[in-house]
């Protein structure tokens, strides 16, 4: 994975705190294992929060913006066959989580891949990856 990848996870606050402690311990030990190829991470506390941002409509719009590179929100709405207000709201929600950014009115997806990892085991690290 690279910086062109966004890794989206679902985990408890305890999981996020554990990863932060591990990263801090590594940094303090001066044993930085991060590289420019490490993906950006975005974590949600539960699946409901994840799906509020990555709804099926949002994923479809995300793909459309990445592939079609519309010049504006209005053009993205026309390409999607949706009203501008709904598209703007979805893009703003994605932008609030830094999944999309704006260059003026032009929405931009700064990632080649968005990977969503969902733990499906009972308290284990079993994950299922779904590429969006």
């Amino acid at each position: 994975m690279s910086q062109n990848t966004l890794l989206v996870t679902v985990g408890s606050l305890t999981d996020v705190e554990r990863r932060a402690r591990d990263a801090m311990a590594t940094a303090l030990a001066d044993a930085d294992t991060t590289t420019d190829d490490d993906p950006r991470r975005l974590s949600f506390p539960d699946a409901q929060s994840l799906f509020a941002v990555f709804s099926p409509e949002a994923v479809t719009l995300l793909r459309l913006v990445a592939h079609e590179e519309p010049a504006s929100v209005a053009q993205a709405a026309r390409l999607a066959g949706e009203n501008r207000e709904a598209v703007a709201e979805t893009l703003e929600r994605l932008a609030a989580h830094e999944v999309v950014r704006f260059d003026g009115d032009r929405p931009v997806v700064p990632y080649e891949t968005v990977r969503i990892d969902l733990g499906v085991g009972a308290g284990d690290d079993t994950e299922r990856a779904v590429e969006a």
Side-chain angles (χ1 to χ4, degrees):
M1 275 188 268
S2 70
Q3 285 291 354
N4 289 334
T5 299
L6 172 63
L7 178 59
V8 181
T9 60
V10 175
S12 67
L13 182 56
T14 303
D15 294 336
V16 173
E17 288 172 341
R18 179 184 43 79
R19 283 195 307 271
R21 274 194 311 274
D22 292 349
M24 182 62 80
T26 299
L28 291 174
D30 201 26
D32 187 11
T33 59
T34 62
T35 68
D36 287 340
D37 290 340
D38 287 343
R40 178 177 171 269
R41 292 178 177 269
L42 175 61
S43 187
F44 291 90
D46 52 49
Q48 183 175 354
S49 300
L50 168 84
F51 296 132
V53 175
F54 288 95
S55 66
E57 297 81 14
V59 171
T60 298
L61 186 58
L62 186 63
R63 285 182 169 147
L64 181 139
V65 169
H67 293 194
E68 300 295 328
E69 300 179 352
S72 66
V73 172
Q75 184 181 18
R78 282 192 300 277
L79 289 168
E82 301 291 338
N83 76 47
R84 186 192 183 291
E85 292 76 24
V87 168
E89 182 180 308
T90 299
L91 289 172
E92 288 169 11
R93 187 171 50 251
L94 290 167
H97 290 85
E98 299 178 2
V99 178
V100 170
R101 64 177 169 80
F102 286 95
D103 184 8
D105 187 45
R106 180 176 173 247
V108 176
V109 178
Y111 304 102
E112 291 177 13
T113 303
V114 175
R115 229 180 110 189
I116 299 174
D117 288 345
L118 298 172
V120 295
D124 63 16
D125 290 329
T126 305
E127 294 182 342
R128 178 173 178 239
V130 178
E131 300 227 355

